[in-house]
Amino acid sequence: MGGLRGPPIRLSCELIEGECVRQRGALGDVLEAARDRAFVGRNMELALFRSALAGETGACPVHFLHGPGGIGKSTLVRRLAREGLRAGRAVIEVDGRTVAPTPQGFTAAVGDIPVEPGVVLLVDTFERCQGLEGWLRNEFLLGLPLGSVVVLAGRRAPDARWTSDPGWSQLLRVTSLRNLPPDDAARLLHARGLPAGAHQAVLSFTGGNPLALSLAAAVAVREEGGVKTGWKPSQDVIATLLSKLLGDIPTPAHRRALEICAHSYVTSESLLRALLGEQAPELFAWLRRQPFIEATDAGLFPHDVVREALEADLRWRDPDGFADMHRAVHQYLVERVRTVSDAQLLQATSPLIYLYRKEASANFHKWRDGDHVKDEPYAEEDRERVLELAETAEGGESADICRFWLDHQPEAFRVYRSTQTGEIVAFFAWLRLREPLGADIDPIVDAAWAHARSAAPLRPGEYIALARFHVHPPVYQRTSPPMDLMHWRGLGEIFRADRQAWTFVVKRDDGHWDAYMHHFAMPSVGRRPRVGPHPYVLFGHDWRAQPVGPWLEERSNTILAHKLRRGASSSSGEHAELVVLSRPEFDTAVRDALRAIRRPDALARNPLNHSRVVTQSATTLRTLLINGIDALQEGRSGDKHHRALTTTYIAGALTQEAAAERLGLPFSTYRRHLTSGIERLIDLLWRSELNGTAVTGGDPT
């Protein structure tokens, strides 16, 4: 997935009485001066950087800083930028969160590099583009002007190939950032205005983590009645600290905007507008001013630690409010997935999947680890490489089957290309099957059709989707960046599907994916086909029995911290599985329902009560029938059909002869009107059953 994108920050300054200030930027000057005064510690890192700027013998031109979130990497990078400016260097700052993790994306983010020697390049949040290490090491950095100094700062340590290379081992300095030692931590608290008498309690609580120190100091300073030497934080760690640090929230709308920002991967003004209406510009501007919020051109997001604390606080303080907010964000993201272009599908799906990061799926999604890959459509020139991967991972029989599907459904295939080498390292296929094509060639497809026929056959216009290949030979069918992107694409295809009856997913039969698939209501269907020597397991879900709406809501509800309030409304109906009726079964059920429309007990036993057409109408079967009969008036001979059905079933004529007499029609004419009316009503309801449309707009025939 491409990251949040934004331009690099290019800095210049002038020296006034020995201080570096931004040109014509008074507010920026004040901000940077305040940051300078508050900066403490990191003396070794500063000394090494200054040595590199001065070009001293033995100084390393490339520095790799790594450490956990909240350890002060970004603060140190900002200080290094100031050091570079003071030294008269051209400084380029790049935030890894704004970089598409490809060579082209990184090059675009850096922009034109000054030709004069001595440029300083600072890359923060490098873990978001860490898959580019090989390319940076072997290509990009080698082209920088002589005397350049580079700093890469991220959460993970560098690849061992940096230090194992005899050349780079002399040019690279790796530093693991740790908590501040007690003296530096005390200096930070003093710089934040916390009296010495309150230091010990805060130091004991934070353990020297710079972010926690800053938050704790801010809370302590804001304590009502002034700072007390005996101040102690509550047991709720960061969540309780944040509840005090945020101060007064101007309005409930501002509070909800803050909650949305903490819950979402990134918050844009359009997201706020969709959820909060015309106040969005004001709320977005307010969020942007908050000290714990960071910005890119794609929107706003809080620091990771702050995000988690805000969510924990809201869950504890207002669990119902958290659930309402989650559902609103969730629905917005679902609609976005359904409406974006194919090229944007992964970028739209990833924020939705991010909402499930604390769910069981979090153990499987590790897409930020390791090398990055690009998801691309299959092209004919990729054919031999795809077949090679299939044979390597699954054997010759599988490669032959893959060749068949490349011939018949090439559009179903996606390839995953390394951002380091450009080589295709994995591929995926999402087959769409409306008939048993290939069942005599592919045992997996044959098993899928056999299960669909025995469990719930397809109806006219419906199709089967089959995630047929998940091939990444180095870590075959185990968690990896390509595997995660395959799962994301499959979920995106499910969310966007129209008339998809079944989804089947095939995996190697070793039990690794059983719990994961069951968690997402896609259990094994009990069929274990073989391809060559390898047994596979087929997982499946019937979307007519549980459509995407209820399925998504059920998945979403599992991540909420409380049970749904009794009687809470649901936009997608009941969660119980729906019945999947064939056309003959549906026709019979409608005729039985018409005959029972004035007998509630009999009508309650009709299978249509558990069909899609009724559950998605948010009304009763009786009301649905009446609405359908009324809708017939708009079609050809509609008044005749409406009168015949209304008189016979709604008004409750004792016999059909009595209904014909009441209508003043010969019995044969009445029977013709009634028969045609019933057929048109069944057709109208059947179209609604298949397409999920409401029975309110009339009958087109």
Side-chain angles (χ1 to χ4, degrees):
M1 184 194 80
L4 311 176
R5 303 193 66 181
I9 301 173
R10 296 173 178 274
L11 304 178
S12 62
C13 74
E14 60 184 8
L15 295 177
I16 300 178
E17 295 182 352
E19 283 293 320
C20 172
V21 298
R22 298 280 179 87
Q23 295 175 4
R24 294 181 296 278
L27 185 58
D29 301 343
V30 174
L31 175 64
E32 295 298 347
R35 285 174 171 170
D36 273 354
R37 289 192 299 270
F39 185 87
V40 301
R42 308 306 185 196
N43 295 325
M44 183 189 74
E45 291 80 6
L46 288 172
L48 292 170
F49 184 74
R50 289 166 182 161
S51 177
L53 290 177
E56 296 176 3
T57 302
C60 294
V62 179
H63 296 251
F64 201 120
L65 311 175
H66 66 93
I71 205 65
K73 298 182 295 295
S74 296
T75 299
L76 178 56
V77 168
R78 282 197 299 265
R79 180 55 180 259
L80 297 181
R82 299 276 285 169
E83 293 287 334
L85 293 172
R86 288 193 178 104
R89 300 292 191 97
V91 176
I92 300 174
E93 291 188 79
V94 175
D95 189 332
R97 288 169 296 206
T98 71
V99 177
T102 66
Q104 296 83 0
F106 188 89
T107 302
V110 172
D112 296 327
I113 298 175
V115 295
E116 66 268 26
V119 66
V120 174
L121 173 61
L122 305 171
V123 183
D124 194 15
T125 325
F126 185 64
E127 69 271 8
R128 296 295 177 89
C129 51
Q130 200 145 4
L132 299 176
E133 279 190 78
W135 172 76
L136 284 169
R137 182 175 61 249
N138 298 324
E139 296 185 39
F140 182 85
L141 295 181
L142 302 183
L144 293 179
L146 188 67
S148 298
V149 179
V150 178
V151 177
L152 307 176
R155 294 191 176 190
R156 295 192 296 275
D159 190 309
R161 284 171 285 190
W162 289 91
T163 53
S164 63
D165 185 303
W168 274 114
S169 64
Q170 302 298 313
L171 301 176
L172 177 71
R173 173 77 185 203
V174 179
T175 303
S176 175
L177 294 182
R178 304 298 184 186
N179 285 343
L180 294 174
D183 289 346
D184 287 338
R187 289 175 56 212
L188 185 150
L189 295 177
H190 178 74
R192 297 293 194 274
L194 190 67
H199 285 190
Q200 188 54 50
V202 174
L203 290 172
S204 298
F205 171 65
T206 61
N209 178 276
L211 179 62
L213 284 165
S214 299
L215 294 176
V219 171
V221 169
R222 292 187 183 189
E223 285 286 349
E224 184 177 355
V227 179
K228 300 178 175 61
T229 58
W231 180 87
K232 291 184 179 180
S234 70
Q235 298 178 353
D236 239 354
V237 194
I238 301 297
T240 303
L241 289 173
L242 281 177
S243 68
K244 296 181 178 291
L245 177 62
L246 299 179
D248 294 330
I249 308 299
T251 68
H254 286 79
R255 180 174 293 279
R256 181 47 57 105
L258 181 60
E259 294 161 355
I260 291 169
C261 188
H263 193 56
S264 307
Y265 179 60
V266 65
T267 298
S268 63
E269 191 171 306
S270 60
L271 171 60
L272 293 181
R273 183 178 297 108
L275 272 60
L276 300 177
E278 294 307 313
Q279 283 186 277
E282 172 194 347
L283 297 172
F284 187 84
W286 176 80
L287 282 173
R288 197 174 188 174
R289 294 193 299 269
Q290 302 312 300
F292 45 83
I293 298 292
E294 300 185 51
T296 70
D297 63 337
L300 307 175
F301 59 93
H303 188 282
D304 288 348
V305 175
V306 176
R307 182 197 297 277
E308 297 303 318
L310 283 167
E311 285 212 297
D313 175 65
L314 177 60
R315 285 173 180 264
W316 168 76
R317 176 173 47 81
D318 184 9
D320 288 345
F322 177 84
D324 292 341
M325 177 270 298
H326 166 79
R327 292 193 187 95
V329 172
H330 187 269
Q331 184 59 34
Y332 172 86
L333 295 176
V334 168
E335 290 303 318
R336 185 165 178 265
V337 169
R338 289 171 173 166
T339 57
V340 297
S341 66
D342 287 343
Q344 297 174 305
L345 181 58
L346 281 183
Q347 288 81 358
T349 304
S350 57
L352 179 59
I353 303 303
Y354 181 79
L355 296 182
Y356 302 116
R357 64 193 183 277
K358 294 181 180 178
E359 207 180 359
S361 60
N363 292 327
F364 290 87
H365 292 284
K366 306 289 187 183
W367 63 274
R368 290 191 179 92
D369 294 340
D371 294 341
H372 284 71
V373 292
K374 293 185 294 184
D375 171 287
E376 296 178 344
Y378 165 82
E380 182 60 30
E381 57 266 27
D382 303 329
R383 181 182 180 92
E384 292 308 313
R385 176 58 176 164
V386 166
L387 293 173
E388 177 187 350
L389 291 171
E391 184 162 6
T392 299
E394 298 184 343
E397 295 90 342
S398 182
D400 290 340
I401 293 170
C402 182
R403 185 177 291 107
F404 173 86
W405 289 117
L406 286 172
D407 291 338
H408 289 82
Q409 282 198 28
E411 71 281 1
F413 285 76
R414 306 292 298 189
V415 296
Y416 299 88
R417 197 178 298 274
S418 168
T419 59
Q420 293 190 14
T421 66
E423 181 184 28
I424 294 174
V425 297
F427 75 92
F428 172 64
W430 184 262
L431 302 178
R432 294 176 178 84
L433 305 171
R434 299 183 184 277
E435 57 184 4
L437 173 68
D440 56 337
I441 302 294
D442 189 345
I444 306 297
V445 169
D446 184 52
W449 277 107
H451 181 78
R453 284 192 296 266
S454 65
L458 271 63
R459 303 176 298 193
E462 296 177 340
Y463 70 94
I464 285 173
L466 173 60
R468 175 60 184 89
F469 293 100
H470 301 82
V471 175
H472 181 214
V475 282
Y476 178 70
Q477 293 196 358
R478 291 296 186 267
T479 305
S480 66
M483 182 65 74
D484 288 338
L485 294 182
M486 294 174 197
H487 288 172
W488 290 16
R489 179 160 291 279
L491 288 171
E493 295 289 356
I494 289 171
F495 300 157
R496 294 154 65 89
D498 182 30
R499 306 294 296 279
Q500 184 177 145
W502 284 92
T503 292
F504 293 103
V505 177
V506 61
K507 298 284 190 181
R508 186 69 61 81
D509 188 11
D510 59 8
H512 180 76
W513 293 100
D514 291 2
Y516 176 81
M517 301 301 293
H518 187 271
H519 179 79
F520 283 99
M522 199 170 288
S524 168
V525 300
R527 296 178 185 269
R528 286 172 163 76
R530 299 182 70 90
V531 177
H534 302 300
Y536 292 85
V537 60
L538 200 63
F539 302 94
H541 185 94
D542 184 349
W543 298 109
R544 301 158 302 175
Q546 188 187 38
V548 169
W551 182 85
L552 273 170
E553 187 171 352
E554 185 173 310
R555 308 279 75 71
S556 181
N557 285 341
T558 62
I559 71 174
L560 299 177
H562 74 296
K563 294 182 179 179
L564 292 173
R565 288 168 291 177
R566 186 175 182 84
S569 62
S570 169
S571 60
S572 52
E574 297 296 326
H575 293 293
E577 280 201 357
L578 306 181
V579 297
V580 181
L581 301 173
S582 66
R583 180 60 191 264
E585 293 169 334
F586 189 88
D587 291 3
T588 299
V590 174
R591 295 177 189 277
D592 290 345
L594 287 171
R595 287 191 289 269
I597 198 168
R598 295 173 60 84
R599 294 182 288 124
D601 290 347
L603 195 63
R605 295 191 293 270
N606 191 287
L608 288 177
N609 286 292
H610 302 289
S611 66
R612 181 185 189 186
V613 66
V614 173
T615 57
Q616 292 196 177
S617 69
T619 187
T620 64
L621 175 55
R622 185 178 190 279
T623 301
L624 180 73
L625 292 171
I626 293 173
N627 289 342
I629 292 170
D630 288 344
L632 297 183
Q633 296 180 84
E634 300 181 22
R636 185 177 62 254
S637 301
D639 184 60
K640 297 175 182 178
H641 298 150
H642 176 265
R643 291 176 63 231
L645 288 168
T646 299
T647 301
T648 304
Y649 298 115
I650 308 302
L654 294 178
T655 64
Q656 291 189 355
E657 288 78 4
E661 183 178 351
R662 185 179 301 179
L663 291 169
L665 296 174
F667 186 73
S668 61
T669 302
Y670 157 78
R671 284 287 300 170
R672 186 170 66 253
H673 292 172
L674 180 64
T675 300
S676 297
I678 291 174
E679 290 174 352
R680 287 182 59 201
L681 176 64
I682 291 173
D683 285 342
L684 177 64
L685 297 177
W686 179 247
R687 285 194 297 273
S688 181
E689 168 73 8
L690 292 181
N691 300 321
T693 54
V695 185
T696 55
D699 177 35
T701 59

